[in-house]
Amino acid sequence: DNDDNTGFSGTCPSELGNLVNFDDYFLLGHNSLHGKIPTQLGRLTSVTKFFTLDANFFCDAVPTEVSALSSNVVQKWDIIDDNLVGEHCGARDMWPALPTTIPTSVTVLNFYGEEFTGTIPTEFGLLTEAIEMDVGDNDLTGSIPTEFGNLVELVATSSGENALTGTLPTELGRLTKLIGGISMEENSRTGTVPTEFGRL
C-alpha cells in the first residue's frame, strides 16, 4: 500500500499502473507530485476502499480511465481537492515570484494562497519587525532560508502546502516568540527536526 504525505515529489510514474494487484488502498495524497495524472492508473481496478491523489500539484484533465475507477471505490475517492486539475499544465509557469523588496517596517506579511512560485527570498530575513508571516498554499520550491532566523519578533509563521525541500535551518531555533505556532506541513523536506527547536 501507499501512504498519504510520504514526501514524494516530481511526476507520478506511469509504471504505477502496473501494480494491478493492489488491494483496497492507493494513497498518494498530500505530497508534491505535479504534471498530468497518468492514464495508466486506470488499470488499478482492484483498489476498492481508498484512492487518493489530493493535495498535490496535478494539472490538466483527469483521464477518463482514472475517473472510471470511482465506481469501484466505496470509502474515499479524492483526486480533485487541492490540485490544479482542469488547469493547463503550463499555467503555473506564469505564476509570479515572491517580491524581494518589502519595507522593513512591515509587521504582517500574508501571501497565503496567492499562487506564487519560485523560492522564498533571502531578503525576507531583513523584515526583523515582522510578527506574522504566511507564505502557505503556494507553489514555492527550494529550502527555507537560514536568514529566517533573524525574524526574532515572529509570533506565528506558516510555509505549509508548498513544494519546499531540504532540511530545516537550525537558525529557526532563535524564534522564541512563536506562541502562535509554526506550520510547515505538506512539503517534501528531509532530515530531522533540529534540536534547537527545543527552545521554541
Side-chain angles (χ1 to χ4, degrees):
D1 295 346
N2 287 56
D3 294 325
D4 276 354
N5 197 13
T6 48
F8 291 135
S9 59
T11 57
C12 184
S14 60
E15 290 81 4
L16 291 178
N18 297 329
L19 304 175
V20 294
N21 293 322
F22 261 27
D23 290 328
D24 298 334
Y25 302 95
F26 184 82
L27 307 175
L28 279 179
H30 297 267
N31 284 287
S32 297
L33 298 170
H34 61 84
K36 297 181 180 181
I37 297 174
T39 57
Q40 291 85 348
L41 297 186
R43 302 172 185 163
L44 305 179
T45 55
S46 60
V47 177
T48 57
K49 291 185 178 179
F50 290 82
F51 191 104
T52 64
L53 293 171
D54 59 307
N56 282 283
F57 297 99
F58 288 116
C59 51
D60 224 334
V62 178
T64 303
E65 296 87 344
V66 177
S67 293
L69 295 178
S70 62
S71 60
N72 299 334
V73 178
V74 297
Q75 291 191 31
K76 184 177 181 181
W77 167 267
D78 194 351
I79 61 176
I80 301 296
D81 289 346
D82 294 324
N83 272 310
L84 305 175
V85 170
E87 183 176 309
H88 187 271
C89 281
R92 69 175 184 163
D93 294 338
M94 304 299 293
W95 289 8
L98 286 167
T100 57
T101 305
I102 299 174
T104 56
S105 59
V106 165
T107 57
V108 177
L109 199 65
N110 185 3
F111 290 125
Y112 179 84
E114 295 293 335
E115 298 187 345
F116 284 107
T117 188
T119 59
I120 299 176
T122 58
E123 289 85 352
F124 276 24
L126 300 175
L127 307 177
T128 53
E129 295 185 30
I131 58 174
E132 294 182 19
M133 183 177 294
D134 192 342
V135 295
D137 193 22
N138 286 287
D139 190 20
L140 301 174
T141 56
S143 57
I144 294 177
T146 59
E147 288 81 359
F148 261 40
N150 298 331
L151 308 179
V152 294
E153 299 299 320
L154 281 179
V155 297
T157 183
S158 172
S159 59
E161 300 177 76
N162 282 291
L164 298 172
T165 56
T167 58
L168 294 173
T170 58
E171 288 82 358
L172 295 183
R174 302 174 188 161
L175 310 184
T176 56
K177 296 184 180 181
L178 282 174
I179 58 174
I182 181 169
S183 176
M184 299 182 177
E185 78 282 1
E186 296 182 32
N187 282 288
S188 299
R189 281 183 292 270
T190 57
T192 58
V193 176
T195 56
E196 287 81 0
F197 273 37
R199 304 172 188 164
L200 303 181

